[in-house]
Amino acid sequence: MTKPDDKELVRQVAGGDENAFLMLYDRYAAQVHALTLRILSDPMLAEEATQDTFLKLWSRARLYLAERGPVPVWLLTIARRTALDRLRLESRRPTLSTADDPDDLWRVIPDSKTTGEESRWRALYMAVQSLTPDHRQVIELAYYQGLSQSEIAETLGWPLGTVKTRMRAAMEQLRRVWGQP
Amino acid sequence: MQNDEHKIFEENIPAYSLGTLDAEETSALEIHLPTCASCRNELAACRQISDGLLMAAPPKAPPAALRQRLQRRLPSAQKTNRPPRNWSFDRLALGFAIIVLLALNLFSLSQMQSFRRQQAQLTHELQTSQTALAMLAYPGTQSLPISAANISGALLLDKDRSVAVLIIWDLPQLPDNRTYQAWLVDPQGNRTSAAMFDPDPDLPFTSVTIKSPNELSAFTSLGVTVEPAGGSRQPSGSRVFRIDF
Ligand SMILES: [Zn+2]
């Protein structure tokens, strides 16, 4: 018996199918939750952001366009925005990872089993860990704290040009280490 | 000249793909992107990384109670989203449009009563939304949903009567020197300006009457782009969305 694919499930969710919704939840809740936790670093807020993300899946499923990309990218993009909005709402100061321990934010204990699909993402995770602290920090503040380059410059007290150079170098390094599929 | 400019844009692409580029540079890059295949390729490569970063954190299951809580909340979320059984998708979109328009009418009316200022603007909005409401009563009105990241809404289209109204939610505000411009596209790909508009900062949605010089049936789609204030003769800025008839 083959499992229904993501796109088919989203189509069914758009038609109000709760079982299809729960199947997608079971497939992606752990990834959505990992991302919201990564951004909010607070279990309660992360759980709420995860809930909001899936409620948006329920109400926006009909807006999903298959040709614009895979379902998990769409869902996790919603999760990222939801968590970043929440972060702004809480008006919390950005977490400065190098201030204490640069590796701390990336030291999440993974859930037990790793599937074949996951290993590719794990490789990117390792690639981020292999960045120098400065490079990892610009990626961190940009992507998981939602700061603009000017805000990063202000937060870290670096010249804007330095932020830009390090951002480019960090992305270059990730491309080199992780490679293109 | 051209090449130096391109280099600056290209250097901004990694930051753009992470969503960290400052607003002004973002608008400039978005105008450059449709004109430059090399930058689009670079962006596609960077997107592999930025999309990958979404998945990179090791999965961590949320508390089991969340699944049950969501399950309990679905039916009530459903009431507002789900049409009666045998309604078609089109009907659902129409139903959605009716709710938007009723809200728009009520909102405009209450604003008109409480504020005298901007009356012309509000009267215009009210007329647009009443046109749209009236259109919904025609059996021939099509409702075509907008599909774009973070923007939703619909184009209400009556080809026979050459009437069209665009309803857009969550349209971002533009800087003062930019405006949204709608274009009707014919089968040969020619673009005809059909409206210029800016979102009302006080309303969560924007409604626009599409003015067509010819029969609407002469066109095959409608596009919206960001243009310099005052509009352009031909689309020059980044595309916001496009709806095929
Ligand atoms: Zn270019």
Side-chain angles (χ1 to χ4, degrees), chain A residues 75-91:
Chain A
L75 187 62
L76 288 161
T77 302
I78 294 176
R80 176 172 173 264
R81 296 231 174 84
T82 304
L84 287 178
D85 284 350
R86 189 60 198 258
L87 192 68
R88 213 155 293 141
L89 201 70
E90 300 289 316
S91 57

Side-chain angles (χ1 to χ4, degrees), chain A residues 88-103:
Chain A
R88 213 155 293 141
L89 201 70
E90 300 289 316
S91 57
R92 295 205 322 207
R93 301 179 66 81
T95 318
L96 289 181
S97 52
T98 50
D100 307 317
D101 179 354
D103 296 316

Side-chain angles (χ1 to χ4, degrees), chain B residues 2-3 5-10 13 29 32-33 35-40:
Chain B
Q2 200 71 4
N3 258 335
E5 222 182 33
H6 160 77
K7 190 159 188 309
I8 292 167
F9 287 127
E10 194 177 37
I13 287 175
L29 179 59
H32 175 71
L33 275 172
T35 70
C36 180
S38 153
C39 280
R40 286 199 300 274

Side-chain angles (χ1 to χ4, degrees), chain B residues 113-164:
Chain B
Q113 280 153 5
S114 40
F115 308 109
R116 284 281 153 196
R117 68 187 171 84
Q118 292 179 324
Q119 201 172 28
Q121 168 69 16
L122 285 170
T123 307
H124 171 73
E125 268 168 19
L126 193 60
Q127 274 168 358
T128 301
S129 57
Q130 282 175 343
T131 305
L133 265 181
M135 283 179 72
L136 292 173
Y138 296 151
T141 300
Q142 281 178 281
S143 175
L144 306 167
I146 297 171
S147 305
N150 296 327
I151 297 175
S152 53
L155 177 73
L156 303 180
L157 175 70
D158 187 329
K159 277 191 186 169
D160 296 341
R161 291 175 181 78
S162 273
V163 201

Side-chain angles (χ1 to χ4, degrees), chain A residues 16 18 21-22 25-26 29-31 33-34 37 47 50-51 54-55 58-59 65 68 73 76-77 80-81 110-111 118 121-122 124-125 128 139 142-144 147-150 152 164 167-168 171 174-175 178 180-181, chain B residues 11-12 14-15 17-22 25 42 45-46 48-63 66-67 69-71 73-75 77-78 81-82 89 92 96 145-150 152:
Chain A
E18 282 187 33
F21 174 86
L22 291 173
Y25 179 86
D26 292 338
Q31 268 181 304
H33 186 243
L37 194 58
E47 190 180 334
T50 302
Q51 172 175 311
F54 279 98
L55 287 174
W58 180 247
S59 60
L65 280 182
R68 295 192 49 162
V73 170
L76 288 161
T77 302
R80 176 172 173 264
R81 296 231 174 84
D111 281 351
E118 268 173 42
W121 309 123
R122 191 57 52 83
L124 179 58
Y125 175 78
V128 175
I139 297 284
Y143 206 62
Y144 299 107
L147 298 193
S148 71
Q149 293 192 128
S150 313
I152 295 172
K164 290 184 171 194
M167 183 82 66
R168 272 201 304 279
M171 283 291 276
L174 288 179
R175 278 167 77 172
W178 191 49
Q180 304 296 343
Chain B
E11 286 183 349
N12 278 338
S17 75
L18 294 173
T20 187
L21 195 62
D22 287 293
E25 289 171 298
E42 180 68 10
C46 287
Q48 303 272 353
I49 305 283
S50 57
D51 286 352
L53 286 173
L54 292 170
M55 327 256 192
K60 190 165 192 332
L66 178 59
R67 194 180 192 272
R69 201 159 70 233
L70 271 166
Q71 223 174 338
R73 288 191 56 170
L74 292 188
Q78 213 166 39
N81 287 310
R82 197 178 176 185
F89 174 80
L92 170 63
F96 170 73
I146 297 171
S147 305
N150 296 327
S152 53

